[in-house]
Amino acid sequence: MAIKYTIGVDAGGTHSTAIAYDEQGKELARAEAGQGNINADYEGGIDHIASAVNEILDKVDGDCQRVLCGIAGLSVVGGAAEVAATISSKISNLPTRAVTDSLLALYNGLEGADGALVIAGTGSVVNGLQDGRLISVGGYGNLLGDEGSGYAISVAAMKEALLKWDRREESSLIKLFTELFDVDEMNDCNAKFYKMANSEVAGMAVKVAKLADAGDQEAIEIIRQQGLLLARDIIICLDRYEDPKPMRVALTGSVLANNEMMRSIIEDEVKSSYPDVVFSISNGENARGVLFDKSNDYRYFTNHSHH
């Protein structure tokens, strides 16, 4: 008797990870492919997702029941059913569902329970799930939002350093950036900054956080401000729930996983409005979200034979 399994795909801005799970939730196989952000590159993203799934279909001797794809950029592009049908047509017409990468992360982080998931890595977003209804706060990208993200922390630190430079004041942030950019003066950093990819900008936040951990007041203030902005977004999400409100909040993404100071600032602030809130750190593979997806809304190409 052939083994029955499902496939979850976490298609992000840098790479796509597909993982097959048996009915007990045990991992059977995994495959990696290129970036899956369909807003950045629609055709390319879909091809990468399909190639990761097809690699698993070749590896696993069994019967794949369905494929859940959490796709970066889907919220911008829209047309989830059409995206799912297009992917299905490239993976033997298997039943396929396309959701935002943040909803997939929510299924995984809360293991199917109601609550909120806060993602802060390169960008940031707060998503709440209550009775199947998704509440989204923030997530508007690096120019319009992404509070508390690596990108926002780096930009805030850079702005502060430039202000200190204009005032000709001493600043540990000036020292940090002139060393990072390998220049003599702060005003030589700008040209280099504007040439950086978003992920590179976000990567500098680690250095700002290290300064804060070492007790530097300027850096601490930047982490504090960004933490408070992310806390504000969490409170907005909690405000928008119906009563009784789910009080679980899972934190994920590189900034929150690695920055204890930021986490404690966020937790204290949110608890001042909602004392019963319970925080957890969600790690692990978001592809696992397929195990907790209760939707029946899977699409496949009916105008082909289903096999």
Side-chain angles (χ1 to χ4, degrees):
M1 170 125 163
I3 187 167
K4 289 185 172 175
Y5 67 96
T6 54
I7 296 175
V9 185
D10 185 11
T14 47
H15 61 274
S16 306
T17 306
I19 306 180
Y21 297 95
D22 69 12
E23 291 177 298
Q24 282 68 51
K26 189 167 109 339
E27 182 179 320
L28 300 173
R30 67 169 56 211
E32 298 267 342
Q35 73 91 19
N37 184 327
I38 60 170
N39 185 40
D41 176 2
Y42 188 85
E43 304 290 331
I46 283 181
D47 284 344
H48 289 146
I49 292 164
S51 84
V53 172
N54 283 323
E55 190 182 320
I56 286 187
L57 296 176
D58 290 342
K59 276 183 192 171
V60 180
D61 183 24
D63 187 8
C64 180
Q65 305 293 297
R66 57 197 174 101
V67 180
L68 177 65
C69 304
I71 307 175
L74 180 66
S75 52
V76 184
V77 174
E82 188 188 332
V83 171
T86 306
I87 294 168
S88 175
S89 71
K90 294 173 184 280
I91 56 171
S92 314
N93 308 316
L94 287 167
T96 304
R97 181 168 180 235
V99 297
T100 63
D101 53 341
S102 46
L103 181 56
L104 182 74
L106 223 151
Y107 286 151
N108 176 47
L110 296 163
E111 303 200 328
D114 281 356
L117 181 77
V118 185
I119 306 174
T122 303
S124 75
V125 67
V126 178
N127 286 300
L129 191 63
Q130 184 179 31
D131 299 330
R133 186 172 72 99
L134 190 63
I135 293 171
S136 185
V137 181
Y140 298 121
N142 62 308
L143 293 178
L144 299 174
D146 284 352
E147 301 86 1
S149 66
Y151 188 95
I153 290 168
S154 299
V155 169
M158 187 84 180
K159 284 180 173 176
E160 184 62 26
L162 287 165
L163 183 62
K164 287 287 185 356
W165 163 254
D166 282 345
R167 288 177 176 156
R168 295 301 189 264
E169 291 175 9
E170 286 294 305
S171 165
S172 49
L173 292 172
I174 292 176
K175 188 171 176 300
L176 173 73
F177 285 116
T178 50
E179 282 175 10
L180 271 177
F181 286 110
D182 192 25
V183 293
D184 293 329
E185 297 201 315
M186 188 62 211
N187 54 339
D188 295 327
C189 294
N190 308 345
K192 295 194 171 194
F193 182 89
Y194 278 111
K195 290 193 179 82
M196 291 173 90
N198 289 4
S199 56
E200 292 176 299
V201 172
M204 297 194 296
V206 176
K207 306 276 199 241
V208 180
K210 281 210 172 93
L211 260 186
D213 287 338
D216 182 84
Q217 285 307 310
E218 287 179 277
I220 288 170
E221 184 54 25
I222 284 170
I223 298 295
R224 197 182 73 82
Q225 285 172 0
Q226 293 300 320
L228 292 175
L229 286 170
L230 205 44
R232 177 201 70 190
D233 288 355
I234 297 168
I235 291 167
I236 292 170
C237 174
L238 296 172
D239 288 345
R240 281 172 55 191
Y241 287 139
E242 307 285 326
D243 289 320
K245 300 171 186 282
M247 281 290 128
R248 286 182 62 171
V249 177
L251 307 173
T252 188
S254 53
V255 172
L256 294 172
N258 302 319
N259 195 323
E260 205 178 318
M261 182 185 295
M262 180 111 153
R263 285 201 306 270
S264 66
I265 289 163
I266 290 170
E267 292 184 17
D268 292 348
E269 180 69 11
V270 174
K271 284 183 171 171
S272 68
S273 295
Y274 289 99
D276 297 338
V277 89
V278 178
F279 284 93
S280 62
I281 297 175
S282 159
N283 290 330
E285 300 282 1
N286 288 336
R288 227 177 114 247
V290 68
L291 301 173
F292 308 104
D293 177 24
K294 302 174 186 77
S295 164
N296 297 318
D297 190 24
Y298 278 76
R299 307 280 170 142
Y300 50 91
F301 266 177
T302 43
N303 53 345
H304 296 281
S305 64
H306 181 64
H307 57 268

